[in-house]
Amino acid sequence: MIILMAASILSATMAEEAAKETKESKELNSAKAEYNAQVNAAVQPIKTRYLAKLDALKKQFGSQGKIEEAMLVQKEIDGISKKTDPGINKEIDGQYAIKYKNGATRELRIKNEE
């Protein structure tokens, strides 16, 4: 009987901690999403101007027969175009502990491979 009561108290405590973590992570995730949206909105015009400048430079090099230079500029364009919001890829890098409802935990490691 005492063991059942202790298990019940432990289970309730774990449930309270899980609820607290869920609330905190929702608030944190919301703050991160807002931050990323603002950073992306601020960076996007700069990125657009940079890509336009690179495109003009690539066309200039192409018309001058400077193929290697044009290819280097295209490589830069591809790298910039491929990137998503600033910091997004780095944000997910890390080690995470996943806690399941049944009490089991599992560790997950995420590393961005650029």
Side-chain angles (χ1 to χ4, degrees):
M1 178 82 165
I2 294 175
I3 294 175
L4 288 175
M5 286 176 51
S8 178
I9 291 171
L10 180 61
S11 178
T13 303
M14 289 174 61
E16 288 174 15
E17 287 178 20
K20 183 179 177 184
E21 286 179 15
T22 301
K23 181 181 177 188
E24 288 174 357
S25 62
K26 284 181 183 177
E27 291 170 355
L28 178 59
N29 288 338
S30 176
K32 283 182 179 181
E34 183 179 342
Y35 165 79
N36 287 325
Q38 290 175 2
V39 168
N40 188 46
V43 169
Q44 191 58 45
I46 299 167
K47 182 177 174 182
T48 300
R49 286 192 304 271
Y50 182 54
L51 287 171
K53 188 172 187 173
L54 288 175
D55 190 53
L57 188 59
K58 179 181 75 170
K59 288 176 182 175
Q60 176 188 338
F61 285 149
S63 68
Q64 294 172 348
K66 297 179 179 179
I67 303 303
E68 286 185 35
E69 288 89 341
M71 289 174 59
L72 286 172
V73 173
Q74 183 60 51
K75 185 176 179 181
E76 177 69 7
I77 291 171
D78 292 343
I80 296 296
S81 298
K82 185 170 64 170
K83 291 181 182 175
T84 58
D85 297 344
I88 291 287
N89 292 330
K90 292 179 179 166
E91 281 186 23
I92 64 171
D93 284 356
Q95 186 169 339
Y96 300 90
I98 301 171
K99 297 178 184 178
Y100 296 95
K101 289 182 181 179
N102 67 3
T105 59
R106 174 166 269 154
E107 287 190 17
L108 174 66
R109 292 182 187 171
I110 299 176
K111 174 127 176 76
N112 182 27
E113 303 286 332
E114 283 192 30

